């Protein structure tokens, strides 16, 4: 007997793409301020050799801003293996900002904040970039208290400083800011360098160990271009994941690891490896459903009839072992990261380590709680093949869970264990037929003209093209060309119900939610239309993407 399930709007995923860890998510970025004051941290244990001890400034104006920005960026970095550095505002005029490994603190000069204040409503974003740059050195230093203090002003010409290290600190700092909600830094960076040199009166004079303004601006422009590349790859990864192109999304995140290696990136890579394991050979080898799946309905499209070949079994095991490594890295960085802990246990279940999962949950050795914990225990016991009747009742009880993800997976598993086959209700696209692609894009635009290599072998190539109101992405692998277009302008409407700036109503535009948090909004998939929709507060459509075929 087949059981046809409706397709409600559901949120089924533990994938937290660049999210900031549930309860630890950063608050909304601080509003721009006219002035910023000190937030004293730990005192210097000693004066670094060759450095004059700066003096703390008296607390004034808004003493919480520096600390608030640092807190946001530290949470966005999602690596809690080392204590967060302290931060102080000082009255010297030597370095703009510096990270001091021996005392584990960041110092920011008052003169530098004067330059930030000149950006008016974007002042806090520029403060975030300064702190983000030095926090990147903190991560690079990885707790080595014997490192040399950095010098933002001297950039790569400071003693023991490498140019590439400084450029990477700029890039990671910008990315940290983006994840924390500061999104305008790329376009402002060259102007910020101009303002720094003006504030320090270095416009027309060259000083030993300090780069000329033109050289520093050239580096800022280089960073700006590289940051643009990172953001295109980042956004491509999100949409490739939503469209089910897991190998391509995996390649994007592997590339991003060079510049931003927060716990969420490792978690996302783990999820993508696990999902690829579950669809090796285009097959569906798993009888039960797991809470790491983005959308359990997509598995209904793959038959379970054919067993895996020996080669496919090895491929599956390799994917799952890779996933374990990624989840373990994420948990080492943030032991309280519940999504990564859940995904780790799901992967162990996929490897058949049922008793180990039950023991870990019963002994409270992992950060998994509530109904998710009950669901994992039920899956582990179901896979042992014992007392199936009692297990079915466990799943049926979880169908009433307030956690939509748990309730849906439990319902699917109860159906399977009861001997019923499942199939999804037929879906049709409720949008009007698309007569032409947005922004005048034609099929001829999908011809491959080369791209940016994401790996040394050149197996994964990405190309993007900015249009008047959209961005066209093409992703080329040895097997296929994937193309999609992201529309971020109210000027393009393919259906009265789908328009940037319009509130998306569930009853008007049926779509399943895919919880790709990313601190960017919510994502919805209208699979029959090959559409993905991004919404912000109150389901206002912020942008949408369409697969081009």
């Amino acid at each position: 007997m087949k059981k046809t399930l409706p397709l409600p709007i559901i949120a089924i995923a533990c994938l937290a793409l660049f999210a900031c860890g549930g309860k630890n998510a950063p608050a909304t970025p601080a509003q721009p301020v006219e002035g910023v004051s000190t937030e004293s941290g730990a005192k210097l244990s000693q004066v670094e050799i060759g450095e004059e001890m700066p003096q703390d400034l008296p607390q004034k104006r808004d003493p919480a801003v520096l600390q608030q920005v640092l807190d946001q960026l530290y949470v966005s970095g999602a690596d809690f293996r080392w204590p967060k550095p302290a931060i102080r505002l000082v009255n010297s005029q030597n370095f703009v900002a510096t990270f001091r490994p021996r005392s584990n603190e960041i110092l920011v000069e008052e003169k530098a904040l004067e330059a930030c204040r000149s950006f008016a409503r974007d002042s806090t974003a520029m403060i975030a970039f300064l702190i983000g740059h030095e926090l990147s050195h903190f991560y690079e230093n990885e707790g080595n208290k014997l490192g040399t203090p950095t010098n933002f002003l001297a950039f790569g010409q400071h003693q023991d400083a490498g140019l590439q290290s400084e450029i990477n600190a700029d890039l990671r700092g910008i990315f940290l800011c983006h994840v924390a909600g500061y999104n305008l830094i790329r376009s402002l960076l060259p102007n910020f360098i101009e303002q720094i040199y003006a504030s320090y009166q270095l416009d027309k004079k060259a000083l030993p160990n300090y780069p000329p303004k033109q050289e520093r601006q050239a580096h800022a422009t280089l960073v700006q271009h590289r940051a643009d590349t990172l953001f295109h790859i980042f956004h491509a990864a999100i949409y490739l994941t939503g469209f089910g192109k897991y190998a391509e999304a995996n390649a994007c995140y592997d590339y991003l690891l060079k510049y931003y290696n927060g716990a969420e990136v490792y978690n996302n890579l783990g999820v993508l490896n696990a999902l690829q394991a579950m669809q090796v050979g285009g097959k569906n080898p798993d009888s039960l459903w797991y809470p790491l799946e983005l959308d359990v309905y997509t598995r209904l499209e793959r038959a379970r009839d054919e067993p895996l070949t020996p080669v496919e079994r090895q491929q599956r095991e390799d994917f799952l072992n890779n996933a374990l490594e990624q989840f373990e890295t994420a948990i080492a960085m943030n032991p309280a990261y519940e999504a990564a802990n859940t995904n780790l246990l799901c992967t162990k279940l996929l490897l058949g380590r049922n008793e180990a999962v039950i023991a870990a949950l019963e002994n409270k050795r992992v950060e998994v709680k509530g109904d998710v914990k009950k669901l994992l225990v039920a899956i582990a016991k179901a896979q042992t093949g014992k007392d199936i009747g009692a297990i079915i009742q466990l799943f049926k009880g979880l169908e009433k869970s307030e956690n939509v993800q748990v309730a849906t997976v439990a319902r699917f598993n109860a159906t399977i264990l009861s001997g019923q086959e499942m199939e999804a209700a037929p879906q049709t696209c409720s949008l009007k037929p698309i007569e032409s692609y947005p922004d005048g894009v034609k099929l001829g635009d999908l011809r491959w003209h080369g791209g940016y290599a994401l790996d040394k072998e050149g197996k994964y190539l990405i190309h993007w093209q900015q249009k008047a109101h959209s961005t066209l992405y093409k992703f080329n692998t040895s097997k296929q060309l994937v193309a999609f277009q992201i529309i971020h302008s109210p000027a393009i409407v393919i259906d009265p119900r789908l328009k940037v700036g319009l509130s998306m109503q569930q009853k008007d535009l049926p779509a399943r939610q895919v919880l790709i948090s990313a601190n960017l909004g919510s994502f919805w998939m209208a699979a029959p239309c090959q559409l993905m929709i991004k919404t912000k507060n109150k389901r206002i459509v912020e942008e949408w993407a369409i697969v081009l075929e």
Side-chain angles (χ1 to χ4, degrees):
M1 176 180 178
K2 291 187 177 181
K3 185 173 182 180
T4 300
L5 295 175
L7 295 175
I9 296 180
I10 53 175
I12 304 181
C14 284
L15 181 62
L17 292 171
F18 287 95
C20 294
K23 294 181 180 179
N24 293 325
T28 302
Q31 295 300 310
V33 293
E34 293 300 323
V36 181
S37 64
T38 62
E39 177 66 26
S40 297
K43 299 298 181 182
L44 289 171
S45 57
Q46 67 181 86
V47 180
E48 274 80 0
I49 297 174
E51 295 286 347
E52 179 183 357
M53 173 72 81
Q55 298 299 311
D56 284 350
L57 291 175
Q59 295 192 4
K60 57 183 179 180
R61 300 188 184 102
D62 187 352
V65 174
L66 279 181
Q67 190 66 51
Q68 180 182 0
V69 172
L70 174 62
D71 291 347
Q72 292 170 346
L73 296 178
Y74 181 71
V75 171
S76 297
D79 188 348
F80 307 123
R81 287 175 290 182
W82 304 283
K84 178 176 58 181
I87 190 165
R88 289 194 294 131
L89 185 64
V90 296
N91 63 359
S92 58
Q93 297 183 29
N94 300 320
F95 46 73
V96 177
T98 179
F99 169 62
R100 300 200 163 184
R102 293 183 182 180
S103 54
N104 194 33
E105 65 177 347
I106 294 171
L107 308 184
V108 180
E109 293 182 325
E110 169 69 11
K111 184 70 71 175
L113 293 197
E114 290 178 7
C116 293
R117 293 178 194 125
S118 69
F119 285 82
R121 69 176 188 174
D122 296 320
S123 61
T124 311
M126 303 322 299
I127 293 169
F129 170 66
L130 268 184
I131 297 175
H133 177 100
E134 299 306 327
L135 193 59
S136 296
H137 283 304
F138 160 77
Y139 289 123
E140 182 183 39
N141 184 72
E142 295 186 345
N144 177 12
K145 300 302 181 183
L146 301 178
T148 303
T150 62
N151 187 317
F152 182 91
L153 188 59
F155 207 59
Q157 296 190 20
H158 183 51
Q159 64 175 6
D160 296 330
L163 178 59
Q164 191 58 52
S165 172
E166 293 297 326
I167 289 174
N168 287 345
D170 272 354
L171 285 169
R172 180 164 186 170
I174 291 174
F175 217 91
L176 279 172
C177 291
H178 180 73
V179 175
Y182 302 100
N183 302 318
L184 301 175
I185 294 171
R186 284 176 294 161
S187 60
L188 298 173
L189 189 54
N191 290 338
F192 179 64
I193 298 302
E194 175 84 30
Q195 196 60 46
I196 286 289
Y197 272 72
S199 296
Y200 281 76
Q201 298 181 343
L202 296 174
D203 298 71
K204 298 180 181 179
K205 57 184 178 182
L207 297 177
N209 299 322
Y210 291 90
K213 182 175 72 172
Q214 292 78 7
E215 180 181 331
R216 188 66 173 88
Q217 283 185 318
H219 291 144
T221 301
L222 172 65
V223 168
Q224 188 180 35
H225 291 160
R226 288 189 181 179
D228 285 339
T229 297
L230 290 180
F231 282 104
H232 279 296
I233 293 172
F234 172 43
H235 286 96
I238 293 173
Y239 282 96
L240 286 166
T241 301
F243 287 130
K245 305 299 182 181
Y246 302 139
E248 292 83 352
N250 202 127
C252 289
Y253 284 117
D254 272 336
Y255 182 86
L256 288 172
L257 270 180
K258 302 173 187 176
Y259 304 97
Y260 177 81
N261 55 351
E264 284 76 18
V265 182
Y266 288 106
N267 177 67
N268 300 339
L269 281 168
V271 170
L272 290 168
N273 272 277
L275 292 174
Q276 289 176 86
M278 297 176 74
Q279 62 176 27
V280 164
K283 299 174 182 177
N284 180 10
D286 302 294
S287 59
L288 298 179
W289 268 250
Y290 303 84
L292 62 66
E293 298 184 66
L294 292 178
D295 181 357
V296 293
Y297 289 98
T298 58
R299 262 218 282 155
L300 297 179
E301 301 170 2
R302 301 196 304 273
R304 295 196 63 252
D305 296 336
E306 299 181 46
L308 297 181
T309 65
V311 171
E312 290 169 342
R313 284 198 298 272
Q314 185 60 54
Q315 289 176 337
R316 173 183 167 91
E317 186 174 341
D318 291 342
F319 275 128
L320 292 174
N321 285 327
N322 286 338
L324 283 181
E325 290 182 14
Q326 307 290 3
F327 295 136
E328 287 167 353
T329 300
I331 293 167
M333 298 171 75
N334 182 4
Y337 191 1
E338 188 167 358
N341 279 280
T342 299
N343 294 335
L344 176 73
L345 295 179
C346 286
T347 305
K348 289 183 177 181
L349 289 174
L350 288 166
L351 285 165
R353 302 177 187 177
N354 305 311
E355 298 299 334
V357 170
I358 293 172
L361 289 168
E362 290 180 346
N363 296 329
K364 300 181 180 179
R365 295 200 301 264
V366 291
E367 289 289 334
V368 179
K369 304 172 184 176
D371 287 346
V372 174
K373 177 179 178 179
K374 295 177 183 177
L375 177 64
L376 292 174
V377 170
I379 294 172
K381 290 183 176 180
Q383 291 188 167
T384 65
K386 300 176 183 177
D387 201 3
I388 295 301
I391 302 300
I392 292 174
Q393 294 307 310
L394 285 177
F395 282 126
K396 286 185 175 294
L398 289 170
E399 289 181 24
K400 302 174 183 178
S401 173
E402 294 182 0
N403 184 321
V404 178
Q405 176 192 27
V406 169
T408 305
V409 173
R411 185 171 70 252
F412 274 45
N413 286 339
T415 301
I416 289 294
L417 291 175
S418 298
Q420 297 174 300
E421 294 184 22
M422 292 188 344
E423 61 180 21
Q427 285 186 286
T428 57
C429 182
S430 62
L431 294 175
K432 294 180 178 179
I434 300 174
E435 298 179 356
S436 61
Y437 290 113
D439 244 351
V441 171
K442 301 177 182 178
L443 291 179
D445 295 327
L446 303 185
R447 294 172 185 161
W448 188 252
H449 300 291
Y452 189 89
L454 296 177
D455 59 326
K456 292 181 180 179
E457 295 78 19
K459 180 181 177 182
Y460 294 99
L461 301 172
I462 187 172
H463 176 81
W464 57 88
Q465 184 178 0
Q466 204 73 40
K467 299 289 184 178
H469 307 99
S470 64
T471 307
L472 175 62
Y473 287 90
K474 292 180 282 186
F475 202 103
N476 193 29
T477 70
S478 56
K479 297 181 180 179
Q480 62 179 339
L481 172 66
V482 178
F484 60 93
Q485 188 176 7
I486 301 177
I487 291 84
H488 20 242
S489 170
I492 294 182
V493 184
I494 63 169
D495 187 282
R497 295 167 294 172
L498 186 56
K499 179 179 180 181
V500 173
L502 184 70
S503 178
M504 188 187 78
Q505 302 296 324
Q506 294 183 11
K507 62 181 182 348
D508 294 333
L509 187 61
R512 297 201 299 265
Q513 185 176 5
V514 182
L515 190 59
I516 305 177
S517 181
N519 252 15
L520 299 176
S522 300
F523 291 85
W524 307 77
M525 185 67 184
C529 307
Q530 288 291 281
L531 277 172
M532 200 168 160
I533 305 158
K534 174 186 167 187
T535 62
K536 50 185 178 181
N537 292 341
K538 298 182 179 179
R539 295 198 180 137
I540 301 297
V541 177
E542 192 168 40
E543 65 184 29
W544 52 275
I546 183 171
V547 174
L548 305 181
E549 297 177 325

